[in-house]
Amino acid sequence: MAEVANNTSLFAADTICTDLRAKTKDEAIKEMVDLLYDAGVVTDKAVFTQVIYDREALSSTGMGMGFAIPHGRSEVVTGPRVAVGFSRDGLDFAAPDGTLANLVFMIAISPAENNLHLKILAALSRKLMHQDFRDSLLACSTREEVLEKLSVITA
Amino acid sequence: MAKKILAVTGCPTGIAHTFMAEEALKTAAQELGVEIKVETNGAAGAENVLTPEDIRDAIGVIVASDKNEDTDRFSGLPTIITSVGDGINKPKELIQQILDGKVPVLNPGKAVKAETAAAPAGQESLGRQIYKHLMNGVSHMLPFVVAGGVLTAVSFLWGIYSFDPTSEQYNAFAAMLKNIGGISMGLMVPVFSAFIGQSIASRPGMIAGFVGGMLASSTGSGFIGGILAGFVAGYFTHWLLGLLSGLPKQYEGLKSIFLVPLVSVTFIGIFMSLTAGPVAAINEAMMNFLAGLQDSNPLVLGIVIGCMSAFDMGGPVNKAAYVTGTMLLGLGNDTFMAGVSAACITPPLVIALATTIFPKKFTDDERAAGLANYVLGCTHITEGAIPFAAKNPIVVLPILMLASSISAVLTYMMGIHVPAPHGGFLILPLVSNPVMWVVDILIGSAVGAVIYGITKKEEK
């Protein structure tokens, strides 16, 4: 948890999973909320899960192009964090282009988020629009490799 | 000089989609060899804001956003207004449409170029526009109704006639509350019309809408008159602004504080006064029809209301039922609202009861959320059921709709009166037959809970 304090990175090894067990969207959300909870980023699973589903109810965050970004802003988030999960088989996030999501980024931020983090999220979002970046992430097999690939993202 | 296209991207949470659309549009523009500037309206505020110079030099604009953007500044430019999703998924098509000159000019009053025919795929449909205007009115109106309705309801705690100085129930404080509540409720239709007008034609539209709404309210043309006032005021003002946009710049001040308000208010005023009689008749006919349906066919009405209320839980379909109930309440029909309230209270109670009856089928987290749903249900917050429904909408929604229908049908069959538009069981002291009303709701909820519990797969 102390790692978050350096204020520049939104990613950490303990919230990266290069092979999610989940086979469905619901399972993936649960698995990734657990990751965030175990890492101490989220203090209340029920509340945060609800926030995530409330957002999904507006419209699915399966963006197409093989990735999904479920996200939630809540008081129960201690520090901003983006959990990263890979699903080799792909998960059905009801994307408009019908693709399955191989990359899931679960964004947890607190209501009083500072601009720096929002800028990093914006930078991540931009990066994700590029096929080669997505492919390079999926080619990683360890958390450390993923972290290194993501470290190029700065505000 | 290269062809320059402008774009605005935005989304309600503003932390991801906004920037994805930005990147997608930039990448597509590069591939097509076009210059583009993208303004992002994300959570951190607008960045890379388009300047008047940008707008002057542009050949077209793409607004890819799921929130209301200021588009007036693009008047006279070919402009596509579409969702942020289109910006992400079909950036090339959007840019190509502009390059092909297939995009109609926004607010053609200011334009020199002729309009083109067929609307491109990304164009916002008429239905969606009307819906957006209507909902802008509803969302501004609701707080007035809730505050007014609850205050009125609270005053009844001293007795139904506590406001009447000749009654022995009279209480000065209760009378004051009822007066405040009445004023707030009375603003319902004017505010509704004003913000429909505002959604269509910005502030000038609001002025005409407000006056039109006051007239609707005072001439008894009510809810229907209010809708009419808002749309006629909005579109008339929109047309008027287009017409006057050719005026030289030095008349700008005169136009906005004198000409436009005067002409638009005169027009809507005369229009509403002349149509007041017939519209009031339609309004009354609708009220009588609904009231008649309550008596003659509670089954049909209950099913319709139940299905509407549970269909999207707090979304537009639910709000349509709720707003109708509220409007009728404002006009003195307090039985219609009883069914709507029952139907809105039911879905969270279905969830809550299901987690209690079938604890093994739910996770710890879900059982905790189930407990919260007791509170949410009792206070008329239908949205509590959303997370559960969202997990498996195809199965859960019909169950909730069935449950809500049962509650509403029973409520209508018993002719129960509920005089406040919100508050759930907190307003029980005001309900004409509180015990039966609660029983009706519990029957619907219990039926739903049992079906939900049986059909639900165990979660580990």
Side-chain angles (χ1 to χ4, degrees):
Chain A
M1 225 177 109
E3 292 305 308
V4 186
N6 73 22
N7 247 5
T8 52
S9 180
L10 287 164
F11 310 98
D14 59 354
T15 48
I16 293 174
C17 176
T18 55
D19 202 359
L20 291 172
R21 276 172 292 129
K23 298 286 171 240
T24 66
K25 173 177 173 174
D26 287 343
E27 286 168 10
I29 288 178
K30 187 173 186 307
E31 197 171 342
M32 296 187 68
V33 171
D34 285 348
L35 271 182
L36 288 166
Y37 180 78
D38 293 340
V41 178
V42 165
T43 57
D44 185 323
K45 277 196 235 181
V47 170
F48 189 69
T49 305
Q50 174 125 2
V51 171
I52 290 281
Y53 275 104
D54 286 350
R55 173 60 190 83
E56 294 294 319
L58 289 175
S59 67
S60 176
T61 58
M63 297 309 306
M65 296 170 272
F67 68 94
I69 44 158
H71 53 273
R73 189 190 276 256
S74 168
E75 304 283 355
V76 302
V77 176
T78 58
R81 183 73 70 92
V82 179
V84 183
F86 295 172
S87 167
R88 301 298 168 183
D89 297 334
L91 300 159
D92 185 3
F93 264 77
D97 63 1
T99 57
L100 297 177
N102 299 109
L103 283 168
V104 181
F105 294 85
M106 181 176 280
I107 305 171
I109 54 181
S110 61
E113 205 39 72
N114 69 39
N115 272 348
L116 180 63
H117 292 119
L118 295 174
K119 287 211 168 88
I120 296 174
L121 285 173
L124 167 69
S125 305
R126 292 189 183 109
K127 275 276 186 193
L128 281 174
M129 297 308 293
H130 299 280
Q131 176 83 42
D132 46 356
F133 180 73
R134 300 196 296 269
D135 291 345
S136 76
L137 277 181
L138 281 169
C140 299
S141 52
T142 68
R143 296 168 160 196
E144 288 68 29
E145 284 177 64
V146 177
L147 208 51
E148 198 191 312
K149 285 278 187 305
L150 292 170
S151 68
V152 301
I153 297 170
T154 48
Chain B
M1 197 190 103
K3 292 174 178 175
K4 186 169 181 178
I5 291 183
L6 305 179
V8 180
T9 63
C11 60
T13 38
I15 57 176
H17 297 52
T18 307
F19 305 100
M20 290 180 184
E22 176 202 7
E23 191 71 7
L25 285 164
K26 280 185 174 167
T27 311
Q30 206 174 10
E31 283 173 33
L32 293 168
V34 212
E35 194 188 339
I36 193 164
K37 177 168 177 181
V38 186
E39 173 179 316
T40 50
N41 281 332
E47 286 173 66
N48 205 19
V49 176
L50 303 175
T51 64
E53 290 76 48
D54 291 329
I55 293 169
R56 198 187 55 212
D57 298 339
I59 60 162
V61 187
I62 299 165
V63 180
S65 175
D66 288 348
K67 62 180 187 188
N68 249 324
E69 304 288 356
D70 166 26
T71 53
D72 278 0
R73 56 192 164 145
F74 306 131
S75 292
L77 280 175
T79 302
I80 303 176
I81 297 177
T82 184
S83 66
V84 70
D86 276 357
I88 296 173
N89 291 304
K90 18 185 200 178
K92 269 194 185 170
E93 285 92 323
L94 295 175
I95 293 173
Q96 199 61 51
Q97 278 173 16
I98 299 238
L99 292 178
D100 294 349
K102 281 195 240 161
V103 180
V105 165
L106 185 73
N107 302 339
K110 284 189 178 175
V112 250
K113 288 177 199 161
E115 279 175 87
T116 38
Q123 194 73 7
E124 205 173 28
S125 71
L126 185 67
R128 186 172 158 193
Q129 282 182 30
I130 288 184
Y131 173 76
K132 210 157 90 177
H133 301 324
L134 205 58
M135 278 302 129
N136 192 51
V138 169
S139 63
H140 284 87
M141 171 194 76
L142 275 178
F144 287 88
V145 182
V146 172
V150 171
L151 284 179
T152 309
V154 168
S155 82
F156 291 153
L157 295 177
W158 278 271
I160 291 285
Y161 302 106
S162 58
F163 64 92
D164 181 356
T166 61
S167 161
E168 55 185 32
Q169 291 178 337
Y170 180 72
N171 176 299
F173 184 64
M176 184 170 79
L177 287 184
K178 186 165 187 298
N179 184 40
I180 299 169
I183 299 271
S184 183
M185 284 285 255
L187 286 171
M188 174 169 93
V189 172
V191 169
F192 181 56
S193 307
F195 284 92
I196 292 175
Q198 187 249 12
S199 177
I200 300 170
S202 306
R203 200 174 54 180
M206 186 191 81
I207 301 163
F210 226 128
V211 177
M214 283 304 285
L215 281 162
S217 180
S218 63
T219 54
S221 57
F223 188 12
I224 301 217
I227 296 178
L228 194 68
F231 279 101
V232 171
Y235 284 120
F236 176 78
T237 312
H238 184 75
W239 173 80
L240 184 66
L241 288 169
L243 192 73
L244 294 178
S245 62
L247 279 185
K249 271 260 183 289
Q250 59 265 41
Y251 296 119
E252 194 62 33
L254 178 75
K255 186 178 88 180
S256 63
I257 63 160
F258 185 75
L259 274 181
V260 172
L262 183 65
V263 175
S264 62
V265 167
T266 309
F267 175 82
I268 193 70
I270 293 175
F271 176 85
M272 290 307 292
S273 304
L274 293 182
T275 57
V279 177
I282 296 174
N283 202 48
E284 197 160 317
M286 185 191 76
M287 297 264 304
N288 289 339
F289 170 74
L290 289 172
L293 204 57
Q294 266 164 239
D295 301 331
S296 66
N297 214 333
L299 194 65
V300 175
L301 183 66
I303 291 173
V304 170
I305 293 299
C307 290
M308 284 175 79
S309 301
F311 174 68
D312 55 356
M313 293 172 287
V317 179
N318 167 300
K319 286 282 183 289
Y322 180 68
V323 169
T324 309
T326 313
M327 290 288 182
L328 289 172
L329 194 62
L331 298 165
N333 175 339
D334 59 4
T335 44
F336 191 88
M337 194 68 215
V340 179
S341 282
C344 288
I345 291 170
T346 300
L349 289 186
V350 169
I351 304 296
L353 287 172
T355 57
T356 307
I357 304 173
F358 304 92
K360 286 193 182 139
K361 296 235 179 177
F362 295 88
T363 63
D364 289 350
D365 293 347
E366 286 176 324
R367 280 198 298 276
L371 281 181
N373 263 299
Y374 277 111
V375 180
L376 295 174
C378 293
T379 49
H380 188 143
I381 298 175
T382 321
E383 284 87 338
I386 288 178
F388 289 84
K391 288 185 185 170
N392 194 1
I394 294 166
V395 178
V396 179
L397 281 182
I399 298 173
L400 295 178
M401 284 158 79
L402 173 75
S404 285
S405 299
I406 295 173
S407 301
V409 168
L410 291 173
T411 303
Y412 286 130
M413 296 214 291
M414 305 200 178
I416 292 168
H417 298 252
V418 173
H422 210 282
F425 293 155
L426 298 179
I427 51 158
L428 274 184
L430 315 167
V431 175
S432 64
N433 192 342
V435 178
M436 280 323 293
W437 192 52
V438 173
V439 169
D440 293 344
I441 293 170
L442 288 180
I443 292 174
S445 305
V447 172
V450 169
I451 302 175
Y452 178 44
I454 290 171
T455 55
K456 185 161 188 337
K457 278 179 285 183
E458 205 161 316
E459 283 205 28
K460 275 282 163 265

